[in-house]
Amino acid sequence: MAKAVKSAFAKVKPIAYEGPDSKNPLAFKHYNPEEIIEGKSMEDHLRFSVVYWHTFRNPLSDPFGAGTALRPWEDGTDSVRNAQNRVKVAFEFMEKLGAPYYAFHDRDVAPEGATLKQSNRNLDLVAKVLDEEQERTGIKLLWGTANLFSHPRYAHGAATSCNADVFAYAASQVKKAMEVTHELGGEGYTFWGGREGYATLYNTDMKRELDHLARLLHMAVDYKKKIGFKGQFYIEPKPKEPTKHQYDSDAAACLNFLREYDLLEHFKLNLETNHATLAGHTMAHEMDVSIGANALGSIDANTGDALLGWDTDQFPTDFYLTTQCMLAILKMGGFTTGGVNFDAKVRRESFEPIDLFHAHIGGMDAFARGLRIAAAIREDGRLEEFVKDRYSSWDEGIGAKIESGKASFDDCEKYMLKKGNAAKNTSGRQEYLENLINEFI
Ligand code: XLS
Ligand code: NI
Ligand code: NI
């Protein structure tokens, strides 16, 4: 029987803001939750969220070796009781860290049973403790999701499986995960197509699989209405891993899919940095694409390793990256339902519980600093002014006529025949702009 855990982090005091001169590793140097930036507190800008799967369930194994994580509160069983205990540890951690949100998959928080019925019951038993702990601490659920990729039944995919029974199982699992998310007051629900893709086209009917994926999402939209769930639906793009090709490969592919199947109004995107780079894009690119479609919902904040090339899900510590993220978020007017969700894990070598604090403190500080830098760049105004100027030929004359749809080919030709040649181009000044950004970092 599991012994009741009183305090898993007894030696750690609540993490406080001590400012940039502090040498205390268990203090924030930049994240000052109440500080007002652009009229809003840092806490409200950043809406930090801790992920249950990496932080409390990842054993820190890799393809070459077993897990290394030391988690003394675990009793070594896959019991509901152990899962309930773990919830208390998780909330103690999040409370001491000062994270206002968390996110989970159904199977992270509660053990899978032998049947769907048993799994649902296990989830209810653990959700009860999640609810109590949310109530006790005021920590809220950013989003919930269903794990439709770990179990062997999902080997060929979930919604895109060749096996209709597997689709039905996945739909039932999503139904339950949505209900629990709703009961816990979740502000969103994420669909990451873990194994929705293929390993070889020789055995794959791609069109049929995509139709099925859209079917599942339409069912989810219908069910959302039925139960009165008001949270935001998100799709999370990722190009590969574990499949060779995932259908939701990047922001543009997701947006096209959602448009094609009449789903765009019901979904926004949850962008993850390491997925952007796996797709051959920068996070800033993916954010810009999504903002352009009014579809940036939330971010899974992490980073990859340029020399490794797989989804290493590291904690973000690079100020250039966090500045770019915050420039994009401020540009879109801030998060509504979304947040900065640390879909990140400590390294296999960082196996002690205290490393979980170092990792999150670093990520939160990096984003807080990114927010400050981004706000300073905006306040300065030179960057924005440069871009505005660069396109000023579109503000009047032929440019304005083209933009507003009032010019035809004939008009363009008439204009250019009269003028003889196009006005001279001006420099893009990339180096000047890179230097300008460096003034603020
Ligand atoms: C995995 C994904 C996953 C989603 C939620 O690569 O990032 O963790 O965020 O299913
Ligand atoms: Ni993610
Ligand atoms: Ni990832």
Side-chain angles (χ1 to χ4, degrees):
M1 217 167 78
K3 53 178 176 345
V5 178
K6 278 273 175 296
S7 168
F9 308 102
K11 292 201 186 105
V12 180
K13 294 198 193 66
I15 309 302
Y17 172 68
E18 291 185 5
D21 296 333
S22 168
K23 297 280 180 272
N24 176 3
L26 294 177
F28 294 119
K29 318 287 189 299
H30 305 287
Y31 180 53
N32 184 14
E34 280 102 58
E35 189 180 321
I36 304 292
I37 291 184
E38 290 199 12
K40 204 158 87 174
S41 72
M42 274 194 157
E43 179 168 6
D44 288 348
H45 272 291
L46 295 162
R47 295 166 57 88
F48 286 128
S49 164
V50 171
V51 306
Y52 211 93
W53 53 100
H54 283 319
T55 301
F56 305 109
R57 299 314 309 278
N58 198 317
L60 307 183
S61 56
D62 71 14
F64 301 93
T68 57
L70 299 177
R71 303 292 181 248
W73 53 84
E74 294 285 329
D75 73 2
T77 70
D78 196 20
S79 64
V80 168
R81 172 117 192 204
N82 190 29
Q84 290 173 325
N85 250 341
R86 188 187 296 123
V87 171
K88 297 192 177 152
V89 173
F91 275 78
E92 185 195 347
F93 173 81
M94 296 188 287
E95 207 183 4
K96 287 197 163 154
L97 183 67
Y101 289 96
Y102 74 112
F104 68 80
H105 300 83
D106 49 359
R107 300 299 181 252
D108 314 327
V109 290
E112 171 130 13
T115 61
L116 179 66
K117 200 169 175 180
Q118 270 179 27
S119 298
N120 286 352
R121 187 165 173 272
N122 290 350
L123 186 52
D124 283 334
L125 290 170
V126 180
K128 204 173 151 283
V129 187
L130 289 168
D131 195 23
E132 286 164 13
E133 289 294 291
Q134 284 187 202
E135 196 60 36
R136 182 182 70 74
T137 59
I139 293 168
K140 293 182 280 192
L141 178 59
L142 189 71
W143 49 260
T145 185
N147 179 330
L148 306 179
F149 44 91
S150 295
H151 194 280
R153 85 172 65 82
Y154 296 124
H156 299 298
T160 63
S161 174
C162 47
N163 178 347
D165 262 16
V166 171
F167 180 108
Y169 196 105
S172 318
Q173 211 184 310
V174 170
K175 174 180 180 288
K176 180 68 184 172
M178 277 175 63
E179 287 163 8
V180 171
T181 300
H182 183 37
E183 282 158 23
L184 293 173
E187 298 186 18
Y189 185 93
T190 292
F191 294 84
W192 172 56
R195 290 186 192 271
E196 315 295 20
Y198 59 81
T200 171
L201 279 174
Y202 288 134
N203 65 15
T204 301
D205 185 336
M206 197 196 293
K207 172 77 174 110
R208 214 166 172 184
E209 293 200 359
L210 287 168
D211 287 351
H212 297 165
L213 182 55
R215 232 359 32 252
L216 184 113
L217 298 180
H218 272 291
M219 287 180 183
V221 168
D222 292 345
Y223 194 63
K224 186 180 178 207
K225 277 190 204 125
K226 186 169 171 190
I227 62 173
F229 176 52
K230 297 274 181 296
Q232 175 65 51
F233 273 170
Y234 305 110
I235 300 251
E236 182 175 327
K238 183 173 182 179
K240 53 194 167 196
E241 274 190 36
T243 66
K244 161 168 138 165
H245 174 82
Q246 312 242 151
Y247 294 132
D248 298 331
S249 55
D250 65 1
C254 286
L255 290 170
N256 180 58
F257 171 83
L258 291 169
R259 254 187 219 111
E260 184 176 349
Y261 288 98
D262 250 340
L263 285 159
L264 193 53
E265 63 175 303
H266 304 291
F267 287 82
K268 288 195 168 179
L269 300 183
N270 175 41
L271 299 175
E272 180 167 320
T273 320
N274 206 164
H275 299 178
T277 47
L278 283 175
H281 304 307
T282 60
M283 182 62 163
H285 165 93
E286 289 291 83
M287 292 178 90
D288 237 18
V289 168
S290 310
I291 292 172
N294 193 24
L296 176 54
S298 198
I299 64 169
D300 273 5
N302 65 15
T303 193
D305 184 313
L307 298 182
L308 279 175
W310 71 71
D311 196 19
T312 57
D313 288 341
Q314 289 167 231
F315 277 84
T317 53
D318 180 332
F319 298 141
Y320 287 94
L321 170 66
T322 58
T323 297
Q324 284 170 9
C325 289
M326 291 318 298
L327 274 173
I329 288 161
L330 292 176
K331 174 173 141 189
M332 78 160 182
F335 289 121
T336 48
T337 53
V340 175
N341 182 49
F342 289 112
D343 194 352
K345 59 177 185 248
V346 289
R347 298 304 83 199
R348 186 168 182 267
E349 298 86 340
S350 309
F351 44 74
E352 293 176 13
I354 197 70
D355 291 308
L356 297 173
F357 277 100
H358 294 309
H360 284 86
I361 291 169
M364 289 162 83
D365 261 348
F367 263 87
R369 178 120 185 237
L371 169 60
R372 272 187 219 286
I373 297 168
I377 292 170
R378 282 158 60 86
E379 160 99 51
D380 171 81
R382 276 176 291 163
L383 182 66
E384 201 191 1
E385 195 55 29
F386 182 89
V387 179
K388 202 167 154 275
D389 266 9
R390 188 161 181 250
Y391 291 89
S392 57
S393 67
W394 293 90
D395 295 339
E396 54 193 14
I398 189 71
K401 239 175 131 186
I402 297 170
E403 261 196 1
S404 62
K406 288 193 191 109
S408 63
F409 271 3
D410 287 329
D411 296 323
C412 288
E413 186 192 47
K414 202 170 141 214
Y415 167 78
M416 213 24 89
L417 283 173
K418 192 167 165 221
K419 192 161 185 183
N421 212 338
K424 289 230 165 19
N425 281 326
T426 52
S427 168
R429 300 246 191 280
Q430 179 171 334
E431 298 78 6
Y432 158 82
L433 293 170
E434 286 165 350
N435 299 350
L436 189 144
I437 297 292
N438 275 354
E439 278 182 35
F440 295 88
I441 302 257

